[in-house]
Every structure is written in structure tokens, then in C-alpha cells.
């Protein structure tokens, strides 16, 4: 559209002040349209489905205000209150897609879980078996352990912020360290419901 408009402007008298002002405003008008489109898409992605809400509500206690929804495909963690997203974070999930079958399969489990422990992980190390040995700060400042059928599944930070938004973990949910701190300080509590979906 802007190409057609530009041609029309060049064919008309460029000295005409109205055309000149409109030509200058056109990129701004187009960017506003794109921004509106992106905002609409973003709000659509953050909409909680009836199925997701019912899954969480089936196990919520009366005193529970917030719960977490993790969508593996979107690589997003949402904090939900009254069926509305109040906060959203980018995450990394298991290196392999699909439902977790066994320990060590590199998949993030799907289902409804609860926060079991909140552990200081700032001094923890981990060997990713990539030839680099033990990595300090591999889990970031906190490890939010989930009660799942598999040991060692949780929400934690990272030594590798470039991995966020990718399939990169051994099965956990990984956040940037500053966002993990925000999540932990503002929302996380023991027994909090965590719904993990495809």
C-alpha cells in the first residue's frame, strides 16, 4: 500500500503541502496498525481457555488466588488470577517435545502439579554432559520444585539466558534470572497450582 501511495505522491505535485504531510504520516499510520494487530494477537495468546481454567479450578483451594499456566509450544509461563493473565514470562522447556515418559527423556511433563518446595539454588552446580563440566549458577537463584511423578522437575533460572524461548532443558521450566526473582517474590507460594500444557 505504501508503495502505491508513494507512486501516487510522486506523480502528483510534490509541492502540494497536503500530499507531503500525508506522505510523512503514512509510515506512522502503518506502524500503528501493525502495533494494534500485534497487541490483538498478544491478548489472544494470553487468553485462558475454559479447559485450562477448569483443570486448575478442579484442584484450587478456596484461599488460592493465583495459579500458573505453562504453554510449552508458546514457551510462556502465565500467572493467572480469576481466569485472567496478570503476568507473563518467556521460558525454555524440555529439549524434546511431547509428554514426559521417563526420567532423562528431555521432556517437560504435562498435567496439573503443585509447588512442593522453594529452594535457594544460587550455589548449585550442574553438569550438562556437554564437555564443560560443572556449571556454577546453572539453576539461577531459585529452584521451585514441583510435585510430579518424576524427581527433579521444577521452575528455575539459568546461566544461559540465550536459551529462553527454546527447547533447551532436561525437562524443567527455565526463566531468565531476573524474571524468576520477580515470579518468586510476587506470586509463588507452597502448594500453588501449576498447569502445564502442550
Amino acid at each position: 500500500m505504501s508503495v502505491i501511495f508513494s507512486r501516487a505522491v510522486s506523480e502528483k505535485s510534490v509541492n502540494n503541502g497536503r500530499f507531503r504531510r500525508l506522505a510523512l504520516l503514512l509510515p506512522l499510520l502503518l506502524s500503528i496498525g501493525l502495533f494494534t494487530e500485534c497487541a490483538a494477537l498478544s491478548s489472544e495468546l494470553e487468553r485462558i481457555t475454559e479447559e485450562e481454567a477448569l483443570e486448575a479450578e478442579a484442584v484450587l483451594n478456596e484461599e488460592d488466588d493465583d495459579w500458573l499456566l505453562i504453554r510449552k509450544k508458546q514457551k510462556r509461563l502465565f500467572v493467572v488470577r480469576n481466569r485472567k493473565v496478570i503476568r507473563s514470562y518467556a521460558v525454555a522447556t524440555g529439549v524434546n517435545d511431547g509428554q514426559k515418559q521417563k526420567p532423562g527423556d528431555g521432556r517437560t511433563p504435562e498435567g496439573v502439579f503443585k509447588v512442593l518446595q522453594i529452594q535457594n539454588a544460587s550455589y548449585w552446580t550442574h553438569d550438562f554432559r556437554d564437555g564443560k563440566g560443572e556449571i556454577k549458577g546453572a539453576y539461577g537463584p531459585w529452584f521451585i520444585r514441583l510435585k510430579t511423578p518424576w524427581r527433579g522437575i521444577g521452575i528455575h533460572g539459568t546461566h544461559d539466558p540465550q536459551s529462553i524461548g527454546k527447547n533447551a532443558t532436561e525437562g524443567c521450566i527455565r526463566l531468565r534470572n531476573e524474571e524468576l526473582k520477580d515470579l518468586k517474590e510476587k506470586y509463588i507460594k507452597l502448594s500453588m497450582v501449576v498447569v502445564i500444557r502442550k
Side-chain angles (χ1 to χ4, degrees):
M1 178 178 166
S2 61
V3 174
I4 295 167
F5 182 78
S6 298
R7 280 194 198 130
V9 169
S10 63
E11 289 170 9
K12 287 276 186 187
S13 169
V14 179
N15 295 328
N16 186 328
R18 269 187 285 170
F19 278 110
R20 194 175 292 148
R21 282 191 299 275
L22 194 51
L24 292 172
L25 284 175
L26 185 63
L28 176 64
L29 294 171
L30 288 172
S31 69
I32 290 170
L34 287 174
F35 175 77
T36 306
E37 228 174 271
C38 289
L41 177 61
S42 174
S43 69
E44 181 64 33
L45 292 175
E46 292 189 358
R47 187 168 288 128
I48 303 304
T49 68
E50 183 73 11
E51 187 179 344
E52 291 165 339
L54 290 174
E55 263 188 307
E57 289 164 1
V59 293
L60 284 174
N61 296 320
E62 283 183 27
E63 65 274 4
D64 291 335
D65 291 330
D66 303 338
W67 55 278
L68 302 182
L69 169 65
I70 297 159
R71 291 186 184 142
K72 297 190 320 182
K73 192 172 188 179
Q74 287 181 10
K75 303 289 181 273
R76 300 298 297 182
L77 181 153
F78 303 97
V79 181
V80 182
R81 181 179 297 155
N82 298 324
R83 294 191 174 197
K84 296 207 181 324
V85 172
I86 60 169
R87 188 73 169 90
S88 172
Y89 304 92
V91 300
T93 56
V95 71
N96 295 316
D97 289 325
Q99 173 63 299
K100 190 160 196 66
Q101 303 295 318
K102 60 183 180 181
D105 66 6
R107 292 182 173 92
T108 300
E110 297 162 13
V112 181
F113 311 104
K114 289 196 174 187
V115 172
L116 182 64
Q117 289 178 304
I118 303 166
Q119 298 171 277
N120 178 353
S122 58
Y123 60 93
W124 293 8
T125 63
H126 184 70
D127 185 348
F128 291 94
R129 295 182 214 97
D130 57 3
K132 296 178 183 173
E134 292 285 323
I135 303 290
K136 283 187 171 187
Y139 295 97
W142 299 100
F143 190 90
I144 301 162
R145 189 173 300 277
L146 302 181
K147 186 174 184 179
T148 74
W150 301 274
R151 290 186 58 208
I153 299 293
I155 301 167
H156 60 78
T158 185
H159 68 290
D160 180 15
Q162 303 301 330
S163 67
I164 303 304
K166 300 175 183 169
N167 286 38
T169 76
E170 295 175 349
C172 288
I173 297 92
R174 182 187 292 176
L175 284 84
R176 289 180 183 89
N177 291 339
E178 61 277 4
E179 294 190 338
L180 177 69
K181 287 178 191 172
D182 183 70
L183 175 70
K184 187 257 180 196
E185 289 168 12
K186 293 180 181 173
Y187 306 108
I188 295 294
K189 59 185 179 183
L190 292 175
S191 298
M192 184 177 208
V193 173
V194 180
V195 177
I196 304 178
R197 304 288 302 253
K198 290 180 188 172

